[in-house]
Amino acid sequence: MTIQTAKLSNPAVRAFVTAVNAHDREGFMTLLAPGATMSDDGADRELAEWIDREIFSTHGHMEVDNESKDGRALIARYSNDTWGEMRTRWSFVVEDDGRISRFETGQA
């Protein structure tokens, strides 16, 4: 059962998923706090290079199946042109100003 993006409870996470699905790199970058970091399958990655390779140059798309931790943790079916579709987990650290300072993803 997919959760509509508009119904995701955390505004920053909702905007993150919206930007990914709209292929809006500029909008995506405005959601991130200065110096934001991320990890993929437990390994820290260089954020700009990773998002270009895994999201924006490969038409990344998220279909959220579940949210928890006040909307800051997701289980989603993630697809892109490189890997096809996989079940993934996402967690977010959202700062007081509403921007994301870290996100972690990996296979669920």
Side-chain angles (χ1 to χ4, degrees):
M1 177 77 179
T2 301
I3 301 171
Q4 292 179 342
T5 302
K7 298 199 174 182
L8 293 172
S9 57
N10 185 284
V13 174
R14 183 170 57 242
F16 180 100
V17 174
T18 299
V20 167
N21 290 348
H23 312 294
D24 178 6
R25 187 183 193 282
E26 186 176 321
F28 179 96
M29 294 304 291
T30 67
L31 303 171
L32 301 179
T37 61
M38 62 87 50
S39 72
D40 184 3
D41 282 330
D44 277 17
R45 308 287 187 190
E46 200 287 306
L47 190 141
E49 185 272 332
W50 187 91
I51 65 169
D52 286 341
R53 184 183 71 242
E54 299 292 340
I55 299 174
F56 295 107
S57 70
T58 56
H59 307 101
H61 190 83
M62 297 174 75
E63 293 287 338
V64 178
D65 291 328
N66 181 279
E67 67 172 359
S68 58
K69 297 183 182 170
D70 296 322
R72 293 187 309 270
L74 306 177
I75 298 294
R77 283 170 286 129
Y78 185 77
S79 61
N80 68 24
D81 293 346
T82 302
W83 306 109
E85 184 177 290
M86 65 189 89
R87 187 171 164 84
T88 55
R89 58 173 170 69
W90 298 76
S91 64
F92 300 88
V93 176
V94 180
E95 298 303 318
D96 291 341
D97 68 359
R99 291 193 289 178
I100 296 167
S101 61
R102 181 168 177 84
F103 67 94
E104 299 177 356
T105 187
Q107 293 198 47

